[in-house]
């Protein structure tokens, strides 16, 4: 038998084995690459889901904070409405349920406690509204993309100052200082879901009333049937004694309060105040002048401190040049028209109460940003002469100020415009007088419809919150800061609503 030495078939086998080997290795690498790509896709959609949840958290938290701001405004208005009930009791005749300081204090404490409970209740309602959003459909932030978010749940817990749950039976301190709201938001990207928890903490104020800033409700004892009258406010005939002579009489104990004098053409307010002795109170002096600008405005009519002195301006002196801004500690009586060429802004910013009384008012631009100021427009004594109340752009009553009007003596068209345009903030108030019990001043729009505000979900007229009317002239003047030395006044203090601070915190748990 012959040996076979032909090897021509082995090369083909070897080549086939090598091809199979390389194909196996290539398949392994391709499988690994595909698996890695799939992992990257999963991570990417997971990140997108987290981003969607973050967008949802920002959206719902921003909306909640906006709702909270509106709620604070409603609470301040509701507090003022409750205080109006106490004020109505105090005003003459003094009611039996508020004729003692103990009763009035208890009344204010009840208001404060009720407002705290109402505020907590309203916040819990806002939390429930968030929780109800879980029944709504998913929000899609960007059209055409597979990103969605929605509320999974929202729950609220009432906490005391030590951050303990007041509903826990073992906790003694039940005073609610914070309301903590946990909001769970789910984000979705394709089939991947991620959930984030946003925690809001809303602070409950220690008090809804500001006892340091009060509104005086006067109960007046009238001696010998005397009363505050228009003529007493506007004393047309000035005294003949000079201010220098008056100071000499005061030092010699030959003058009686109120001390009245007529400023000479060379005297200034600054010089007169500097001439007072340390034991002399500027509030006891009433100085008459024929030239307001010359007596007061050195070098201009801005940034003037009256230090409480009473200044009466002659009815023929009608103007203050350009602006009358940043006036403080003033008791100013203008026996005619106060005409300001530009603005009256930032009155009374030092915190002291002041009073400005005019017969007629003409402001070329704005009357706004008043602090602690009683501003009265009382009109003229003549029955057929109606005072004008004019301004160009804005008129605003704010910051514990009162705008007081004798509506029987002011132009009807000006009153109508005022009712349409005047704005209020921070315990600003409008007080009016009319001898006619059927005549009212109301805040109406151009269609003679009541201007409305929303208070705790109910529509209230702005008139009921910001306007008070009187038919007794003396009571009207007293509520507007006017008191004469001859009158015996028993002042009763009523707190004003305390503006609610921010007290809002947010954190997100991933």
């Amino acid at each position: 038998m012959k040996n076979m030495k032909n090897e021509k078939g082995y090369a083909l086998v070897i080549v086939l084995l090598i091809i199979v080997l390389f194909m196996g290795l290539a398949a392994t690498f391709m499988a690994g690459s595909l698996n890695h790509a799939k992992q990257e896709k999963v991570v990417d959609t997971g990140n997108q889901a987290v981003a969607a949840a973050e967008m949802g958290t920002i959206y719902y938290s921003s909306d909640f904070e906006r709702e909270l701001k509106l709620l604070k405004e409603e609470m301040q208005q509701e507090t003022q409405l409750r205080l109006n009930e106490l004020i109505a009791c105090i005003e003459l005749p003094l009611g039996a349920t508020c004729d003692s300081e103990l009763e009035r204090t208890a009344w204010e404490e009840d208001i404060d406690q009720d407002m705290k409970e109402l505020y907590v209740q309203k916040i819990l309602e806002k939390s429930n509204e968030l929780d109800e959003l879980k029944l709504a459909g998913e929000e899609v932030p960007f059209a055409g993309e597979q990103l969605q978010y929605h509320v999974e749940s929202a729950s609220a817990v009432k906490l005391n100052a030590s951050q303990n749950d007041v509903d826990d039976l073992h906790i003694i301190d039940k005073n609610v200082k914070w309301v903590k709201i946990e909001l769970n938001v789910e984000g979705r990207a394709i089939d991947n879901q991620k959930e984030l928890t946003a925690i809001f903490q809303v602070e409950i104020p220690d008090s809804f009333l500001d006892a340091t800033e009060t509104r005086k409700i006067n109960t007046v004892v009238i001696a010998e049937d005397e009363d505050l009258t228009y003529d007493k406010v506007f004393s047309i005939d000035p005294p003949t004694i000079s201010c220098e002579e008056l100071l000499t009489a005061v030092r010699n104990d030959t003058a009686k309060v109120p001390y009245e004098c007529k400023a000479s053409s060379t005297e200034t307010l600054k010089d007169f105040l500097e001439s007072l002795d340390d034991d002399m109170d500027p509030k006891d002096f009433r100085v008459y002048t024929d030239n307001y600008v010359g007596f007061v405005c050195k070098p201009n009519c801005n940034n003037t401190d009256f230090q409480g002195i009473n200044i009466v301006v002659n009815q023929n002196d009608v103007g203050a040049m350009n602006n009358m801004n940043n006036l403080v500690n003033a008791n100013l009586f203008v026996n005619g028209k106060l005409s300001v060429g530009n603005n009256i802004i930032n009155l009374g910013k030092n915190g002291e109460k002041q009073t400005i009384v005019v017969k007629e008012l003409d402001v070329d631009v704005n009357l706004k940003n008043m602090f602690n100021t009683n501003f009265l427009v009382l009109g003229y004594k003549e029955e057929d002469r109606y005072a004008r109340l004019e301004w160009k752009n804005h008129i605003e009553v704010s910051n514990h100020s009162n705008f007081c009007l004798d509506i029987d003596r002011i132009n009807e068209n000006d009153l109508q415009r005022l009712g349409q345009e005047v704005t209020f903030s921070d315990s600003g108030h409008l007080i009016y007088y009319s001898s006619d019990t059927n005549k009212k001043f109301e805040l109406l729009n151009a269609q003679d419809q009541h201007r409305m505000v929303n208070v705790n979900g109910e529509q209230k007229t702005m008139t009921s919150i910001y306007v008070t009317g009187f038919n007794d002239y003396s009571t009207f003047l007293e509520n507007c800061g006017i008191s004469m030395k001859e009158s015996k006044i028993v002042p009763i203090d009523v707190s004003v609503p305390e503006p609610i601070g921010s007290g809002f915190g947010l954190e997100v748990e991933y």
Side-chain angles (χ1 to χ4, degrees):
M1 183 180 288
K2 294 181 180 181
N3 292 328
M4 299 293 294
K5 295 184 179 181
N6 189 347
E7 300 176 352
K8 289 183 178 180
Y10 287 100
L12 179 60
V13 173
I14 292 171
V15 170
L16 290 174
L17 288 173
I18 292 173
I19 290 173
V20 171
L21 177 62
F22 275 102
M23 288 181 67
L25 291 173
T28 302
F29 283 118
M30 288 177 65
S33 296
L34 291 173
N35 185 56
H36 183 67
K38 183 180 291 186
Q39 289 177 344
E40 285 187 337
K41 183 177 180 181
V42 170
V43 171
D44 186 55
T45 55
N47 290 337
Q48 290 178 348
V50 172
E54 289 177 334
M55 284 187 284
T57 300
I58 293 172
Y59 174 81
Y60 293 120
S61 62
S62 299
D63 188 65
F64 184 87
E65 191 168 10
R66 180 186 63 82
E67 289 288 327
L68 188 64
K69 182 178 180 180
L70 295 175
L71 176 59
K72 291 173 183 177
E73 295 176 359
E74 292 176 7
M75 290 301 303
Q76 189 165 17
Q77 293 167 352
E78 181 65 25
T79 303
Q80 184 62 63
L81 287 173
R82 291 290 304 276
L83 284 171
N84 286 348
E85 298 174 7
L86 173 58
I87 291 170
C89 177
I90 292 174
E91 289 170 344
L92 292 173
L94 196 62
T97 58
C98 61
D99 57 3
S100 72
E101 184 176 356
L102 184 63
E103 289 174 329
R104 294 188 294 273
T105 300
W107 196 322
E108 289 193 355
E109 289 174 352
D110 289 342
I111 292 174
D112 197 26
Q113 184 61 34
D114 290 347
M115 292 303 101
K116 287 182 181 179
E117 293 175 359
L118 181 60
Y119 191 43
V120 172
Q121 175 189 331
K122 293 296 182 181
I123 294 171
L124 296 178
E125 291 174 0
K126 297 296 181 185
S127 175
N128 290 335
E129 291 173 5
L130 275 177
D131 188 60
E132 290 172 358
L133 291 176
K134 65 188 178 184
L135 303 176
E138 293 180 322
E139 296 282 348
V140 180
F142 305 111
E145 293 193 17
Q146 294 181 320
L147 294 178
Q148 301 91 28
Y149 54 79
H150 74 280
V151 172
E152 277 287 299
S153 65
S155 60
V157 180
K158 296 178 290 184
L159 305 176
N160 60 21
S162 301
Q163 298 285 317
N164 294 318
D165 186 351
V166 299
D167 291 331
D168 188 334
L169 296 177
H170 300 94
I171 299 301
I172 298 175
D173 181 9
K174 300 295 184 181
N175 293 317
V176 180
K177 181 61 179 175
W178 302 89
V179 176
K180 183 174 76 172
I181 299 170
E182 289 190 7
L183 172 66
N184 296 311
V185 179
E186 182 185 84
R188 181 189 298 272
I190 307 178
D191 293 325
N192 207 328
Q193 299 92 26
K194 294 294 181 181
E195 185 173 305
L196 296 182
T197 299
I199 300 176
F200 312 135
Q201 283 220 149
V202 183
E203 184 179 13
I204 308 303
D206 293 330
S207 177
F208 278 75
L209 300 178
D210 185 359
T212 62
E213 178 63 45
T214 59
R215 180 179 171 192
K216 291 188 180 298
I217 309 301
N218 294 327
T219 298
V220 182
V221 177
I222 306 299
E224 299 178 359
D225 293 329
E226 289 187 359
D227 204 350
L228 294 175
T229 63
Y230 181 91
D231 289 336
K232 287 184 179 180
V233 175
F234 291 115
S235 216
I236 300 299
D237 298 324
T240 56
I241 186 173
S242 70
C243 294
E244 184 178 356
E245 293 171 333
L246 174 64
L247 289 177
T248 300
V250 173
R251 293 186 180 103
N252 294 332
D253 293 328
T254 58
K256 295 181 179 181
V257 175
Y259 305 130
E260 294 185 333
C261 65
K262 175 71 178 294
S264 68
S265 59
T266 60
E267 289 180 303
T268 66
L269 172 63
K270 181 176 181 294
D271 292 339
F272 179 79
L273 291 172
E274 290 177 350
S275 67
L276 297 179
D277 297 342
D278 292 340
D279 60 348
M280 294 181 182
D281 187 352
K283 294 180 181 179
D284 291 337
F285 290 84
R286 176 175 288 207
V287 179
Y288 291 73
T289 178
D290 294 332
N291 185 357
Y292 177 83
V293 172
F295 183 67
V296 175
C297 305
K298 298 290 184 176
N300 57 59
C301 295
N302 291 330
N303 305 302
T304 305
D305 184 356
F306 277 37
Q307 297 184 26
I309 197 172
N310 297 273
I311 294 180
V312 181
V313 182
N314 186 287
Q315 61 182 339
N316 296 319
D317 183 31
V318 297
M321 58 184 181
N322 199 19
N323 294 311
M324 183 187 283
N325 301 330
N326 302 304
L327 183 67
V328 297
N329 291 322
N331 288 297
L332 175 62
F333 299 81
V334 180
N335 260 326
K337 178 180 182 180
L338 174 61
S339 181
V340 179
N342 200 351
N343 292 304
I344 302 178
I345 298 177
N346 295 334
L347 300 176
K349 291 192 73 171
N350 68 333
E352 296 291 331
K353 208 73 174 182
Q354 63 178 358
T355 301
I356 300 173
V357 187
V358 303
K359 290 182 177 178
E360 191 172 20
L361 180 63
D362 181 9
V363 182
D364 277 5
V365 185
N366 299 310
L367 171 60
K368 60 187 299 187
N369 206 21
M370 289 188 286
F371 291 76
N372 309 294
T373 298
N374 294 306
F375 203 115
L376 293 82
V377 182
L378 299 184
Y380 295 96
K381 188 175 182 180
E382 297 88 342
E383 293 184 359
D384 58 347
R385 184 181 183 185
Y386 292 96
R388 297 302 307 273
L389 177 57
E390 299 178 284
W391 71 96
K392 183 177 181 181
N393 292 336
H394 302 289
I395 185 165
E396 176 191 19
V397 186
S398 57
N399 303 301
H400 309 300
S401 293
N402 295 317
F403 195 53
C404 302
L405 308 171
D406 183 340
I407 63 174
D408 290 344
R409 298 177 177 180
I410 297 176
N411 180 278
E412 197 67 36
N413 291 331
D414 294 343
L415 291 175
Q416 183 178 13
R417 182 192 172 199
L418 181 70
Q420 295 172 359
E421 298 184 15
V422 65
T423 59
F424 301 88
S425 62
D426 295 330
S427 300
H429 209 73
L430 189 147
I431 301 173
Y432 71 90
Y433 164 79
S434 175
S435 60
D436 184 352
T437 57
N438 296 317
K439 188 175 183 180
K440 308 293 182 184
F441 179 86
E442 296 184 294
L443 302 175
L444 305 175
N445 60 25
Q447 290 74 40
D448 290 334
Q449 295 176 334
H450 287 281
R451 293 164 63 185
M452 308 295 291
V453 291
N454 189 295
V455 180
N456 294 322
E458 294 185 34
Q459 289 293 105
K460 302 282 187 180
T461 66
M462 288 181 61
T463 303
S464 67
I465 297 174
Y466 298 113
V467 177
T468 302
F470 294 97
N471 302 117
D472 178 76
Y473 201 80
S474 176
T475 307
F476 160 69
L477 291 179
E478 289 154 7
N479 274 275
C480 295
I482 301 294
S483 61
M484 300 297 180
K485 291 289 183 178
E486 295 81 5
S487 301
K488 295 181 181 179
I489 301 173
V490 180
I492 297 176
D493 292 336
V494 175
S495 300
V496 299
E498 174 75 32
I500 306 172
S502 58
F504 178 80
L506 169 66
E507 62 179 84
V508 179
E509 295 182 352
Y510 287 79

